[in-house]
Every structure is written in C-alpha cells, then in structure tokens.
Amino acid sequence: VQLQASGGGLVQAGGSLRLSCVASRPFGGVAMGWFRQAPGKEREFVAGVSWSGRTTNYADFVKGRFIVSRDNVKNTVFLQMNSLKPEDTAVYYCAASSLPVITTNPQTYHYWGQGTQVTVSS
C-alpha cells in the first residue's frame, strides 16, 4: 500500500488546515493514524481512526481542535486541524496500522506516507 499525504502549508496561529491521505488500494479492516515529527523530536501520535470510522482517538494536545475521519470508498483519511498553534509545526505523516483498532505505538503501523509539512506562524 502506498500512502500519499497532502494539504500541509503555512498558516497563522488560530487558522485551520485539512490534511488528506490517499491510499493506493483499499485499506479496509485496519486502523489509520496520523503522527507528527518536529525537528529534534521523536515522532508522536496525533490521532487515529478505527477501520469502521466509528472510533477515534486523539493525543491530549490536539483534543478539541483536530478531527480525524476516513472515507473507505475513496480510500482516504482526513485530519481537520483547527485553532492551530505554533507548537503544532511539524511534518505530519499518515500511516496504516496492522490492526483494526487504534494504537498509539508507531511500530504497529506498517505503511507510512511521505509526510506533509505544517508550519504555524505566531
């Protein structure tokens, strides 16, 4: 499976961006996740959605601001990011899990997109 992430860019604090991640083939049956990595920091879990789309999970630092969703017909996962802060600046990666349930451990995700840069100015 190849994952193509897009939608990143430069935005002012308080603004919004919507990331998309398209898979090269259907990824039904597995959870999808979004991670991010800032310079000098480890990759961290941001949000995840179960294979059905009915269950979501968020890191505490994005709760109430980000919304993750998926469209299995279009093989696409989305991350709506609102009320962005400068500390949200990072490269954002989408990933396909090996499991149907959401995990925060990146080692359980077997396929990764190339990443899309999000920069939030103050």
Side-chain angles (χ1 to χ4, degrees), residues 15-38:
S16 298
L17 284 173
R18 190 190 196 205
L19 305 184
S20 299
C21 175
V22 182
S24 58
R25 63 174 177 81
F27 47 64
V30 298
M32 297 293 293
W34 286 96
F35 291 77
R36 71 185 188 186
Q37 188 166 20

Side-chain angles (χ1 to χ4, degrees), residues 25 37 41 49-50 52 64 75 84 87 91-93 95 109:
R25 63 174 177 81
Q37 188 166 20
K41 295 187 177 181
V49 57
S50 64
S52 69
N75 302 334
L84 283 162
E87 51 264 44
V91 177
Y92 283 71
Y93 299 89
Y109 291 79

Side-chain angles (χ1 to χ4, degrees), residues 8 15 22 24 36-37 52 54 56-57 59-60 64 76 79:
V22 182
S24 58
R36 71 185 188 186
Q37 188 166 20
S52 69
R54 288 194 289 267
T56 56
N57 189 19
D60 287 343
T76 304
L79 184 67

Side-chain angles (χ1 to χ4, degrees), residues 60-95:
D60 287 343
F61 51 78
V62 303
K63 282 182 179 177
R65 299 189 297 126
F66 291 11
I67 300 171
V68 62
S69 61
R70 66 190 293 168
D71 183 338
N72 288 341
V73 174
K74 297 182 178 179
N75 302 334
T76 304
V77 180
F78 304 98
L79 184 67
Q80 178 66 43
M81 305 187 295
N82 302 317
S83 301
L84 283 162
K85 305 175 182 180
E87 51 264 44
D88 292 320
T89 295
V91 177
Y92 283 71
Y93 299 89
C94 61

